[in-house]
Amino acid sequence: RFFTIEAYAPGHFVRSLVEPGESVTEGDVLVVIELMNMEEDIVAPFSGVIYSILPPLPGQLVRPGDPLVVIKS
């Protein structure tokens, strides 16, 4: 089963902390986005393997619903 982690609010992409093929556990930080001048961690909702990373370049705008990471459970 594949699950896409999406941005939940408008902001700017800061960095990705995972690579495709990497195993993650629930609560691991996947990517960081900046919301209203504060960095916000986007975490894994469950354990799995990173299938792909879809974020834009650092500093680019992300909108609600924009895909960030795909996890395979």
Side-chain angles (χ1 to χ4, degrees):
R1 179 184 93 148
F2 293 90
F3 184 80
T4 302
I5 308 297
E6 300 174 342
Y8 65 88
H12 291 90
F13 178 74
V14 177
R15 66 185 165 277
S16 175
L17 301 175
V18 294
E19 297 289 333
E22 185 176 335
S23 293
V24 295
T25 57
E26 183 177 344
D28 285 353
V29 178
L30 305 176
V31 298
V32 178
I33 59 174
E34 183 181 294
L35 306 171
M36 300 188 303
N37 296 323
M38 295 181 63
E39 289 190 357
E40 181 75 23
D41 295 338
I42 305 299
V43 299
F46 54 83
S47 298
V49 176
I50 301 301
Y51 181 74
S52 63
I53 303 169
L54 308 167
L57 297 172
Q60 266 189 300
L61 178 67
V62 292
R63 294 180 176 87
D66 283 355
L68 300 172
V69 178
V70 177
I71 298 178
K72 181 179 180 185
S73 63

